[in-house]
Amino acid sequence: MDWSAIAALLAAEGLEVIQDPQQRQKLSTDYAHFSPILTEQLRGKQADLVVLARSEAEAIAVILCCVANQIPLTVRGAGTGNYGQCVPLQGGIVLDLSPMQRIVSLEAGRAVVEPGVKLGKLEQQAKQMGWELRLLPSTYQTATVGGFVSGGSTGMGAVNYGTLFDPGNVQSLTVLTMEAEPQRLVLAGEAAQPVIHGYGTNGIITEITLPLAPALPWQEAVVSFADLSAAIAFAQNLANQDGIVSKEISIQGHPIPQYFSSLKNYYQPGDHWVMVIVSALDWLAFTELAKSNKGQIIFEQNPQAPGKKVNLIEFNWNHTTLLARAMDSSLTYLQVFFYQDLEQILTLEKLFQDEIMFHIEMMRIQGAMCLAGFPLVRFTNGDRLEEIMAAHQNLGARIANPHTYSLAGGSVQPLPESQLMFKRQVDPFNLLNPGKLTD
Amino acid sequence: MDWSAIAALLAAEGLEVIQDPQQRQKLSTDYAHFSPILTEQLRGKQADLVVLARSEAEAIAVILCCVANQIPLTVRGAGTGNYGQCVPLQGGIVLDLSPMQRIVSLEAGRAVVEPGVKLGKLEQQAKQMGWELRLLPSTYQTATVGGFVSGGSTGMGAVNYGTLFDPGNVQSLTVLTMEAEPQRLVLAGEAAQPVIHGYGTNGIITEITLPLAPALPWQEAVVSFADLSAAIAFAQNLANQDGIVSKEISIQGHPIPQYFSSLKNYYQPGDHWVMVIVSALDWLAFTELAKSNKGQIIFEQNPQAPGKKVNLIEFNWNHTTLLARAMDSSLTYLQVFFYQDLEQILTLEKLFQDEIMFHIEMMRIQGAMCLAGFPLVRFTNGDRLEEIMAAHQNLGARIANPHTYSLAGGSVQPLPESQLMFKRQVDPFNLLNPGKLTD
C-alpha cells in the first residue's frame, strides 16, 4: 500500500492525517501493558496512518477510503482500555474520534453526545444540572464516552446499575457501517447490544445516548479492618443495605493500600481497606454499620467540597492495578467474575499467599450483589499465570481473561450469534479492527 | 374515672377535648375491619376521651394528666392502619396528633416534620424541590408521617429502599416519655429502632426526620399476562434489572383486577396483571422486556401529567384489599413474608384454588428481591383461616399474621429484647397503648 498516497488523498478531503512514526506508535497503544502477555503479543503493532475525525462526515470519508482500498480500520478514543482494544493488529488506519467532542444535548436524565466527549467533562456538566453518569470508570477524567461504550463495561455506580450491558444503561447508539455505501444506523435499546463492548469491530459509533442518574450529595470514606474476612463481610453487608445508598464499594486487601502513595499517611501495614462512596444523607447509618462491623473509618471527605485531598474513584477499578504497577511493574492482575463466597476467597488466599492480593469490587448483577475480583498477581512467567487462572476456574471462580486481546477469549460466555451476525452485516469485508472479535 | 372532670381539666389547659360518643367511636378505629377476626376482638373498644394536640407542649399536658391519673393513652394519626394499631383496648384517652402539621424543614434530601403532616402533602412539597419520599404507603393521601412510622412498614419504593426498619430510612425521631416528668428524647439512627412500627407503645413521637429520594420522571403501566407464572416471572425479571429503575412492581393475579372498577375497561377476565411504576428514562428497555416476556402493556400514563386517569399506587399494597373488600366484604387477606419461589406459589394455588387470590408486591430485603404476599382470602370462619395460615407456614411461606392486634403476634420474629427494655424505660407505668406490644 502506498501510504503516502492514501494520506494525501485523505488530507485532500480536509482530514488531519498523522504519519510521524512516534505519534503513530503512541496512538496505536493503550494500557495493555497491564499484561506482560499482551505486551509481548502486541509489540510492534502499529497503524500505518492515524486519521483524526472531527465530524461524522469526516468519519465517512475515512470509511470510503478504507473500503475502496481494503484497508483495516481501528477506531480509538483516549486509549484507556487495557486489553489492546484499539491496537491495530494488522496495521492500516487508526481512526481517532476524540476530536468529535460535541455534547449534542444534555437534559434532565439524558445525555446525547459524540464519541470523543470526555466522561469527566460530561459528568461535570451533568452535575451542574443535578445529574450524573450511572457508570463511570476510574479513567473517566481522560476516557471518552465512545471508548467507554466500545471497550469498557462498568465502574463506579456498578453497585446500583450493574454494567453497560444491562438494558437501559445505553439508550441508543448511532453507528456507521463499513460498506462501500456506508449506512447510518440508529440502534435503540436491544438493537444496540451487539455494539456495546464490541471493541469497534461492528460499526463506528458516532453518537451515544446515555441515561443519567440523579446526583446525590456523596461522601467518600476508607474503612480499615484488621482482617480480610471482616473487610469482605462489611463490604457485602453495606452493599446489601437497602436504606444506605452507595455508589462505590471496593475491598483493597493487605498489602494493596501500600501502593496508594497519596494516602500513605492513613495506612497501617497489615490493614485491609474498604473504600466507599456513600450518600451523605445516610452517613449516620453508615458509621453505625462500620462500627458494628468493627471497622474504623480512617479517612473521610466530601468530594463536592473545594480542595479535596484525593479522588477516591482513582484508587479503584483499573486504577488499583495502575497505581500498584506504578510502584512495582512486576505486578499484573486477573478478572474474576465472580468470587462465589468468602470461603472461596480464603481458599485462594491459602493457595497463593503473597502471589496474589485481593482487590474486589462490589457489583450488582441481575439484582444480586456480587464480588468481582481484580486481584493483583505477582508475575513470574506465562505458564505460572495460566496455572493460577486454571486453579481459580477449578474452584469455580470464573476468570474473564484480561491477558487476551480477543473479545471472545476474554468473555466468560461465548459471543452471542446475534453479535456475529451483526458483524457480517455491518462489516462485510472484515475491515473493522480485524482479529479482535474472535481469535 | 370522672371523665367529665378530666375533660374539663384538659380543656382548661387549652386542649381540644372530644366527648361526643359517635366522634369518640370514629376516632377509636382504623382499617382493622379488613380482618373479621379483629373486627370481633375490637368491637366496642372505645376511647373515653379524645384529645387533639396542636403542639409538643399540648402533648406534654396530656401525658402529665394521664400519668397523674394513670389513664391509658393511645396515640393516633389518620387511622389508616389495619391491625387496630390505634384502637384503645382499655379505653382511656386517644391522643390525636393529626393537628401537629408543621413541616419543620424541607431541604435537598431531608425532611423534618411533625407527626400530623400528611404523607401526600409532604410528597407534593418535596416533589417541587426534585425530591420524593423513599417509601410511601398506598394510603399516603390521608395517612400521617407519624402514623406511618408508628404503624406502617413500607409501600411504594420498597423495590429500592426495603422498609422503614432498614438503617437509614428513618434518620431520627423525637419522642416524649410517659413519665411524671416527661423527657424529650432525640433518637438518631439505631437509637430510633425500638420506636419504628412500635404502635405508639414506647414513646410519643413529636418530630420525624426522613431522608428523601431524588425524584425521577415516572411512568405508570399495567402489563397483562395470560398466566400467573408468566406474570410472576416478569415481575421478578423486572425487579432484578439493574438498568431499569422501578419504584413499584406488583402482581395482581386473576381475578383481582375485577375489583379495580376504575380500570375495568382494561380488564379481560382471566388476565393477570403486573402493575408498575418505572422510570420514564428506561421506558424503551421496559417495553422490550415486557415484550420478550410475552406481556402486553394494556395501560400506561405519565403520573406527572395533568388530568391523569387513575393513581396506580392506589390499587396496590393495602389498597388492593381495600378495593376488593369494597366490592365483596367477605374477603380478607394474609401477609406472606415471603413466598420462596414460583413453585411454592403454584402449590398454594392448587391447594386453595378460588379460596385465595394472589396479590404480590416485590420488595428488596437486605439486597435481595423478595415476593411479599398479600393474598386475598375468601373468609368462611376463623378455624378455616387458621388452617390456611398453618398450611402456608408448613410449606415454608412464613405468615406475618394480620389478624392480631399485638405487635409480637404479628411479627415473623420475636420482638428484640432492646425494644422491651426501651418500653420499660419510657413507659414505666405501661400506659401507652396497653396490650399492643405483647399479648
Side-chain angles (χ1 to χ4, degrees):
Chain A
M1 191 73 60
D2 181 350
W3 293 111
S4 296
I6 299 286
L9 201 145
L10 288 165
E13 301 212 39
L15 287 151
E16 188 179 343
V17 182
I18 295 172
Q19 292 184 272
D20 171 66
Q22 269 187 310
Q23 271 196 280
R24 277 192 285 126
Q25 184 53 43
K26 195 180 149 216
L27 292 167
S28 298
T29 56
D30 61 8
Y31 284 70
H33 58 77
F34 279 16
S35 161
I37 311 295
L38 288 177
T39 301
E40 279 311 306
Q41 290 178 349
L42 299 175
R43 197 184 299 283
K45 306 294 181 195
Q46 188 176 310
D48 295 293
L49 294 177
V50 175
V51 185
L52 279 78
R54 284 158 295 197
S55 67
E56 199 172 85
E58 291 196 344
I60 291 173
V62 178
I63 292 173
L64 290 174
C65 170
C66 286
V67 172
N69 297 283
Q70 292 290 295
I71 298 170
L73 179 62
T74 301
V75 179
R76 67 172 279 130
T80 58
N82 36 291
Y83 320 121
Q85 288 100 312
C86 64
V87 177
L89 293 179
Q90 304 178 9
I93 288 178
V94 158
L95 174 62
D96 185 343
L97 293 184
S98 58
M100 289 185 69
Q101 296 194 1
R102 199 161 56 95
I103 294 179
V104 179
S105 77
L106 185 56
E107 57 186 78
R110 188 175 281 125
V112 184
V113 299
E114 288 188 339
V117 170
K118 296 219 177 294
L119 288 164
K121 183 186 166 194
L122 181 57
E123 175 81 349
Q124 196 181 26
Q125 294 206 12
K127 288 256 191 192
Q128 284 166 14
M129 297 173 62
W131 295 84
E132 60 187 34
L133 286 159
R134 286 185 172 185
L135 300 169
L136 209 56
S138 66
T139 53
Y140 74 99
Q141 306 242 39
T142 51
T144 65
V145 178
F148 180 46
V149 170
S150 296
S153 51
T154 185
M156 180 165 64
V159 284
N160 295 311
Y161 295 102
T163 72
L164 288 171
F165 309 109
D166 286 302
N169 285 337
V170 175
Q171 293 190 347
S172 81
L173 297 176
T174 301
V175 302
L176 300 174
T177 65
M178 195 66 179
E179 299 176 283
E181 289 180 19
Q183 299 175 68
R184 185 179 190 272
L185 307 176
V186 179
L187 308 168
E190 218 177 308
Q193 283 292 331
V195 185
I196 299 170
H197 198 72
Y199 293 5
T201 59
N202 41 20
I204 295 168
I205 301 173
T206 56
E207 197 172 284
I208 300 122
T209 304
L210 293 177
L212 300 171
L216 287 175
W218 299 109
Q219 185 78 355
E220 299 181 346
V222 178
V223 191
S224 185
F225 293 84
D227 69 284
L228 183 63
S229 303
I232 293 170
F234 172 68
Q236 290 186 296
N237 197 336
L238 177 60
N240 286 318
Q241 290 291 319
D242 305 320
I244 304 178
V245 179
S246 300
K247 160 165 173 166
E248 164 68 18
I249 305 173
S250 75
I251 300 151
Q252 302 287 3
H254 163 80
I256 296 178
Q258 73 180 336
Y259 301 120
F260 303 159
S261 52
S262 53
L263 289 173
K264 66 167 181 267
N265 292 343
Y266 303 92
Y267 183 57
Q268 297 288 333
D271 283 356
H272 306 265
W273 284 6
V274 175
M275 303 184 91
V276 305
I277 304 176
V278 67
S279 167
L281 300 171
D282 303 321
W283 184 251
L284 174 60
F286 168 76
T287 60
E288 290 184 334
L289 189 74
K291 200 175 170 188
S292 69
N293 279 263
K294 300 202 183 357
Q296 201 188 340
I297 298 172
I298 55 168
F299 174 81
E300 65 177 274
Q301 72 174 1
N302 172 355
Q304 289 90 202
K308 63 176 176 173
K309 295 192 197 87
V310 295
N311 185 354
L312 195 122
I313 183 63
E314 289 178 335
F315 296 89
N316 291 294
W317 295 94
N318 280 333
H319 263 63
T320 305
T321 312
L322 184 76
L323 293 173
R325 282 180 41 80
M327 287 179 70
D328 182 349
S329 64
S330 78
L331 296 175
T332 186
Y333 75 125
L334 298 179
Q335 295 178 157
V336 184
F337 300 151
F338 302 92
Y339 294 120
Q340 286 171 341
D341 52 27
L342 178 62
E343 202 190 319
Q344 188 181 63
I345 293 168
L346 297 180
T347 303
L348 287 161
E349 190 189 26
K350 231 177 240 170
L351 213 53
F352 296 109
Q353 306 199 23
D354 292 350
E355 207 173 353
I356 59 175
M357 309 171 211
F358 289 96
H359 164 210
I360 302 171
E361 299 280 344
M362 298 304 304
M363 282 176 74
R364 184 174 278 154
I365 297 296
Q366 292 172 329
M369 283 298 171
C370 296
L371 296 154
F374 299 86
L376 298 180
V377 178
R378 199 163 291 287
F379 183 72
T380 43
N381 59 64
D383 288 346
R384 178 59 181 161
L385 190 62
E386 289 290 340
E387 224 173 270
I388 295 173
M389 290 199 281
H392 278 73
Q393 301 270 29
N394 289 341
L395 284 167
R398 217 163 47 165
I399 295 280
N401 188 0
H403 304 284
T404 172
Y405 52 72
S406 106
L407 193 53
S411 301
V412 289
Q413 286 165 333
L415 298 185
E417 182 54 33
S418 56
Q419 193 165 20
L420 304 174
M421 271 178 62
F422 188 79
K423 166 74 175 174
R424 289 188 287 270
Q425 182 194 328
V426 299
D427 183 23
F429 308 108
N430 191 24
L431 293 174
L432 285 176
N433 209 356
K436 294 288 179 58
L437 193 58
T438 52
D439 292 309
Chain B
M1 190 72 63
D2 181 348
W3 293 111
S4 297
I6 299 286
L9 202 144
L10 289 165
E13 301 213 38
L15 287 151
E16 187 179 343
V17 183
I18 295 172
Q19 291 184 273
D20 171 66
Q22 269 187 309
Q23 272 196 278
R24 278 193 285 125
Q25 185 52 42
K26 195 180 150 216
L27 292 168
S28 299
T29 55
D30 60 10
Y31 284 71
H33 58 77
F34 279 16
S35 161
I37 310 295
L38 287 177
T39 301
E40 278 311 305
Q41 288 177 350
L42 299 175
R43 197 183 299 284
K45 305 295 180 193
Q46 188 176 310
D48 294 293
L49 294 176
V50 175
V51 186
L52 280 77
R54 283 157 296 196
S55 67
E56 199 171 86
E58 291 196 345
I60 291 173
V62 178
I63 292 172
L64 291 173
C65 169
C66 286
V67 173
N69 296 283
Q70 292 290 294
I71 297 169
L73 179 61
T74 301
V75 179
R76 70 173 277 131
T80 58
N82 36 291
Y83 321 120
Q85 288 99 313
C86 65
V87 177
L89 292 179
Q90 304 178 9
I93 287 177
V94 158
L95 174 61
D96 184 343
L97 294 184
S98 58
M100 289 185 70
Q101 296 194 1
R102 199 161 57 96
I103 294 178
V104 179
S105 76
L106 185 56
E107 57 187 78
R110 187 175 281 124
V112 184
V113 298
E114 288 187 340
V117 170
K118 297 218 178 294
L119 288 164
K121 184 185 166 194
L122 180 57
E123 175 80 349
Q124 196 180 26
Q125 294 206 12
K127 288 256 191 192
Q128 284 166 14
M129 297 173 62
W131 295 84
E132 59 187 35
L133 287 158
R134 286 185 172 186
L135 301 168
L136 209 56
S138 65
T139 54
Y140 73 98
Q141 306 242 40
T142 51
T144 65
V145 177
F148 180 45
V149 170
S150 297
S153 52
T154 186
M156 179 165 65
V159 284
N160 294 310
Y161 295 102
T163 72
L164 288 171
F165 309 110
D166 286 302
N169 286 338
V170 176
Q171 293 190 346
S172 82
L173 296 174
T174 301
V175 302
L176 300 173
T177 65
M178 195 66 179
E179 297 176 283
E181 290 181 17
Q183 299 175 68
R184 184 179 190 274
L185 307 177
V186 178
L187 308 169
E190 219 177 308
Q193 283 292 332
V195 185
I196 299 169
H197 199 72
Y199 293 5
T201 59
N202 42 18
I204 294 167
I205 300 173
T206 57
E207 197 171 284
I208 300 122
T209 304
L210 293 178
L212 299 172
L216 288 175
W218 299 109
Q219 185 78 353
E220 299 181 346
V222 178
V223 191
S224 186
F225 292 85
D227 68 284
L228 183 64
S229 302
I232 293 170
F234 172 68
Q236 290 187 296
N237 197 335
L238 177 61
N240 286 319
Q241 289 293 318
D242 305 320
I244 305 177
V245 180
S246 300
K247 160 165 176 169
E248 164 69 17
I249 305 172
S250 74
I251 300 150
Q252 302 287 1
H254 164 81
I256 296 179
Q258 74 182 335
Y259 301 120
F260 302 161
S261 52
S262 54
L263 288 172
K264 67 168 181 268
N265 292 343
Y266 303 92
Y267 183 56
Q268 297 288 334
D271 284 356
H272 307 265
W273 283 6
V274 175
M275 302 183 92
V276 305
I277 304 175
V278 67
S279 167
L281 300 171
D282 303 321
W283 184 250
L284 173 60
F286 168 75
T287 59
E288 290 184 333
L289 189 74
K291 200 176 170 188
S292 69
N293 278 263
K294 301 204 183 355
Q296 202 190 340
I297 299 172
I298 55 168
F299 174 81
E300 65 177 274
Q301 71 173 2
N302 172 355
Q304 289 91 202
K308 64 176 173 172
K309 294 191 198 87
V310 296
N311 185 352
L312 195 123
I313 184 63
E314 289 178 336
F315 296 89
N316 291 294
W317 295 94
N318 281 333
H319 264 63
T320 305
T321 312
L322 184 76
L323 292 173
R325 282 181 42 79
M327 286 179 71
D328 181 349
S329 63
S330 78
L331 296 174
T332 184
Y333 75 125
L334 298 180
Q335 294 178 155
V336 184
F337 299 153
F338 301 94
Y339 293 120
Q340 287 170 340
D341 52 27
L342 177 63
E343 201 189 319
Q344 188 181 63
I345 293 168
L346 296 180
T347 303
L348 287 160
E349 190 189 27
K350 231 176 241 171
L351 213 54
F352 296 109
Q353 306 199 23
D354 292 350
E355 206 172 354
I356 59 175
M357 308 170 213
F358 290 96
H359 163 208
I360 301 171
E361 298 280 346
M362 297 305 303
M363 282 176 74
R364 184 174 276 153
I365 297 296
Q366 292 171 330
M369 283 297 171
C370 296
L371 296 155
F374 299 87
L376 298 179
V377 178
R378 198 163 291 288
F379 183 73
T380 43
N381 60 63
D383 288 348
R384 178 59 181 160
L385 190 63
E386 290 290 340
E387 224 173 271
I388 295 173
M389 290 198 282
H392 278 73
Q393 301 270 29
N394 288 342
L395 283 168
R398 217 164 48 166
I399 294 280
N401 187 2
H403 304 285
T404 171
Y405 52 72
S406 107
L407 193 52
S411 301
V412 288
Q413 286 165 333
L415 298 184
E417 182 55 32
S418 56
Q419 191 166 22
L420 304 174
M421 272 177 60
F422 189 78
K423 166 74 175 175
R424 289 188 286 271
Q425 180 195 330
V426 299
D427 183 23
F429 307 108
N430 192 22
L431 294 173
L432 285 176
N433 209 356
K436 293 289 178 58
L437 193 57
T438 52
D439 291 308

